[in-house]
Amino acid sequence: MNPDLNMRLEVRSFRKTPFHRLLKLKPQHFVADAWKQLEYLRRYLADPELNCRSLIIEHRYIDRDYIEDYSIFYSRSLYPFNNYCRRLHFFSLTERELTAELRRLVKVGQNESEEAYRNACLEFSRRAYLGFSVIKPLDGCPVGRTVLRCFGPTASNRKIRGFNSTRNYRVHVAGIELTVRGLAFQQQDVGVSACATTALWTSLHKARDMERMGAPTPAQITLLASRHTLPFGRSMPSEGLSIDQMCQAIQAVGVAPNLIRAEDFDTARSYLYSAAQSGFAPVLVLWKQLRTLQLYHAVTVAGVKLEQTHVPTPLPEHSSIDDKAGDLIALFVHDDRHGPYLRADLQRETNKLELNIDMRHGYSDEDETWLLTHILVPMHAKIRLSFGVLRELAISVAKDVEALKKIYFELRDPEIAKEHSVLFETLILRAHIYSEQFLLGKRNSKIERLSNGIAMSRYVGVIRFSGTYFGSFDLLIDTTSTPKNIHCLGLLSTGKTTTFTRLLGEILAGHYDCPLIL
């Protein structure tokens, strides 16, 4: 008997029917809330901001992540699990509109140039494609690799959203190329992966966007993490990873683990802001006490929620130094137990940072509160300066600016000397991404001087500081240097130029032994 290898595409309307009924999943009598991630995806896509109206079902899809899990683990089970999946694609068009658009794209490919076809596919994706979800043949944990479009940049109550931790994904349906920007999510199966493995898998998806590296599957991450130590028993079925094992797995795939302890609220918030705004996808290690149990969990940052208008946040020990990270009020996290892009509000609790995870689209109406203990950021091995060191440098620079301000304005304008503060933020960016900000922005006149005047490392540390009385500067730091041997690459004026701006720039450039670009 020949196996059925035919792949069918089915266009369906996106209705209020739960996905487990649409997919005809078998009831899981021994698993509580087996389909809550599916329900979360349905509610998320039904949100008016996305307004999903139709979907395509691919009935035989080979997913690399699942086939690896299958070959290592599920193929050895008594029950004959399938080695293929289904894949759902979501659109903001009706069934009839979607069918007409797909036929139009096919005609463009047949009758026009390749460039015209790819541009038409890209325009269609931006307008109507909401993402995809792989459905594994595991009825108790069906949600595999899932990438959905994020909400827009404008939030309610004069807040803004930022999703620098996302990347572009390209998929093909019947030869048509579709593109969606998001960050991969999947639920844990507690066979091949638990929450730590899944959080690392998500974070490394973003790391691949920044560096050429292999795409580790959950099974590979679990095996790499457990090669040397097994503090929680056997590697599979997975009982979770320790922080040491998470760092080992990151090291094994070719990047370096930057582990930061969340000591207090202000510094932890600053690290989160810098990492997310730099385009990394940090893994957050969380803890909470539930009666007599101590629970640990891991989630991945996909985006941030910020104040639209800056709210001054002076440092406790330096009232005239203002941290831009104070604008961070919430994170958007991938939580494998619930779904992607859950809002996690930042809360101060006895000077520690807690995350209150909003379950608005989830299966539960009750929010969850966790204490942040560690931040783990996969980074290029040549980045030797951590976000903690960069923040210390930024505070040192702000102190130097403050000292010069007092000397200069003491007699000229005492009000400035007393009241105006220095605002700072820290970032670690790929050098070409930093340069593109000048090439594509209003400051493109400085791109030639930047390119010809400063030799930059692959990644540059950016200390961005500004004040109403001098404009703004970027101090570029060589990230291959060490905390005891800091190498400053250059100082760039990025705002208005005043008499004090030029004086400040010349003094700081001389002090830090780097070129000045005004």
Side-chain angles (χ1 to χ4, degrees), residues 8-285:
R8 293 185 298 113
L9 294 179
E10 183 181 358
V11 179
R12 299 287 295 270
S13 174
F14 182 88
R15 298 188 177 92
K16 294 183 179 180
T17 304
F19 280 170
H20 67 270
R21 293 182 184 172
L22 176 70
L23 298 168
K24 298 179 181 179
L25 301 182
K26 296 179 181 178
Q28 298 300 299
H29 301 294
F30 301 105
V31 182
D33 299 334
W35 299 317
K36 65 180 179 181
Q37 287 89 343
L38 275 175
E39 176 63 11
Y40 175 92
L41 296 183
R42 187 190 66 79
R43 294 187 186 186
Y44 180 85
L45 289 161
D47 189 281
E49 193 163 338
L50 297 179
N51 192 27
C52 182
R53 301 169 72 188
S54 64
L55 61 122
I56 291 177
I57 305 177
E58 290 182 77
H59 279 279
R60 180 180 284 270
Y61 175 73
I62 301 299
D63 179 71
R64 178 177 176 272
D65 292 293
Y66 174 70
I67 202 72
E68 184 80 15
D69 295 352
Y70 176 84
S71 64
I72 292 175
F73 188 77
Y74 290 105
S75 63
R76 304 177 186 182
S77 301
L78 173 64
Y79 184 84
F81 292 100
N82 290 328
N83 68 345
Y84 59 88
C85 305
R86 287 175 285 181
R87 185 165 65 167
L88 310 182
H89 300 269
F90 306 102
F91 302 87
S92 59
L93 304 175
T94 64
E95 292 174 87
R96 180 176 297 180
E97 292 170 339
L98 175 59
T99 302
E101 282 291 323
L102 295 179
R103 288 173 177 166
R104 179 184 68 84
L105 291 174
V106 170
K107 290 182 179 179
V108 171
Q110 292 173 338
N111 303 322
E112 300 184 32
S113 65
E114 179 182 349
E115 181 181 3
Y117 167 71
R118 298 202 181 282
N119 288 338
C121 289
L122 186 59
E123 186 277 331
F124 169 73
S125 297
R126 289 173 178 168
R127 178 166 47 88
Y129 188 49
L130 303 178
F132 64 89
S133 179
V134 172
I135 304 300
K136 298 182 289 188
L138 307 172
D139 292 337
C141 48
V143 180
R145 184 168 55 99
T146 297
V147 181
L148 300 180
R149 182 185 293 185
C150 313
F151 287 144
T154 304
S156 58
N157 301 324
R158 298 180 60 82
K159 314 296 181 187
I160 57 175
R161 306 185 187 104
F163 292 96
N164 291 346
S165 301
T166 59
R167 51 167 291 198
N168 288 327
Y169 291 80
R170 291 183 177 85
V171 296
H172 297 83
V173 180
I176 295 174
E177 185 176 81
L178 301 173
T179 304
V180 60
R181 186 167 187 85
L183 187 63
F185 164 85
Q186 67 172 304
Q187 71 179 112
Q188 60 170 291
D189 59 5
V190 200
V192 173
S193 63
C195 64
T197 295
T198 308
L200 282 180
W201 174 83
T202 295
S203 182
L204 291 170
H205 261 255
K206 177 56 182 177
R208 289 183 57 220
D209 192 43
M210 306 174 77
E211 292 297 334
R212 291 187 177 181
M213 53 177 285
T217 64
Q220 291 170 342
I221 291 173
T222 299
L223 291 175
L224 290 171
S226 57
R227 283 191 304 182
H228 305 297
T229 57
L230 284 171
F232 302 131
R234 54 188 173 175
S235 58
M236 295 182 190
S238 176
E239 298 179 32
L241 304 178
S242 67
I243 293 178
D244 288 345
Q245 288 181 305
M246 294 168 73
C247 292
Q248 289 174 20
I250 292 173
Q251 194 83 43
V253 300
V255 288
N258 185 357
L259 182 64
I260 306 167
R261 187 183 297 275
E263 296 285 0
D264 61 82
F265 180 90
D266 292 309
T267 53
R269 178 177 60 184
S270 182
Y271 297 153
L272 291 171
Y273 175 89
S274 297
Q277 291 297 81
S278 297
F280 297 98
V283 175
L284 309 184
V285 179

Side-chain angles (χ1 to χ4, degrees), residues 372-516:
L372 176 66
T373 64
H374 294 81
I375 304 167
L376 179 57
V377 188
M379 306 176 78
H380 192 281
K382 283 190 175 181
I383 301 177
R384 296 166 182 163
L385 295 180
S386 67
F387 286 107
V389 172
L390 205 58
R391 185 172 190 267
E392 292 175 2
L393 295 176
I395 294 173
S396 177
V397 171
K399 289 179 181 178
D400 290 342
V401 175
E402 272 293 294
L404 292 170
K405 177 193 75 172
K406 289 182 180 179
I407 294 172
Y408 184 83
F409 287 104
E410 194 69 46
L411 297 176
R412 292 176 176 83
D413 193 336
E415 291 301 317
I416 289 179
K418 290 180 181 179
E419 296 181 5
H420 290 257
S421 60
V422 180
L423 176 66
F424 78 89
E425 64 177 316
T426 58
L427 304 167
I428 296 178
L429 303 173
R430 283 286 297 268
H432 75 273
I433 293 177
Y434 179 78
S435 298
E436 284 177 356
Q437 297 176 358
F438 290 85
L439 180 64
L440 303 175
K442 296 179 181 179
R443 304 186 296 270
N444 52 18
S445 61
K446 293 183 180 177
I447 185 63
E448 185 174 349
R449 283 176 285 167
L450 176 64
S451 302
N452 294 331
I454 299 177
M456 290 194 281
S457 51
R458 184 180 185 88
Y459 286 82
V460 293
V462 182
I463 297 176
R464 185 163 290 161
F465 57 98
S466 59
T468 56
Y469 53 94
F470 66 86
S472 58
F473 281 94
D474 283 357
L475 179 62
L476 305 184
I477 307 295
D478 175 10
T479 56
T480 65
S481 54
T482 62
K484 294 293 185 181
N485 296 279
I486 300 295
H487 174 214
C488 297
L489 299 172
L491 181 66
L492 288 80
S493 171
T494 59
K496 66 180 182 179
T497 302
T498 65
T499 303
F500 182 66
T501 303
R502 183 175 297 276
L503 176 64
L504 178 64
E506 291 173 351
I507 293 175
L508 292 180
H511 181 62
Y512 300 129
D513 191 23
C514 63
L516 171 65

Side-chain angles (χ1 to χ4, degrees), residues 333-348:
V333 299
H334 281 14
D335 187 334
D336 62 277
R337 301 166 309 128
H338 301 293
Y341 310 121
L342 278 85
R343 194 187 79 235
D345 296 319
L346 274 60
Q347 297 181 165
R348 188 190 298 267

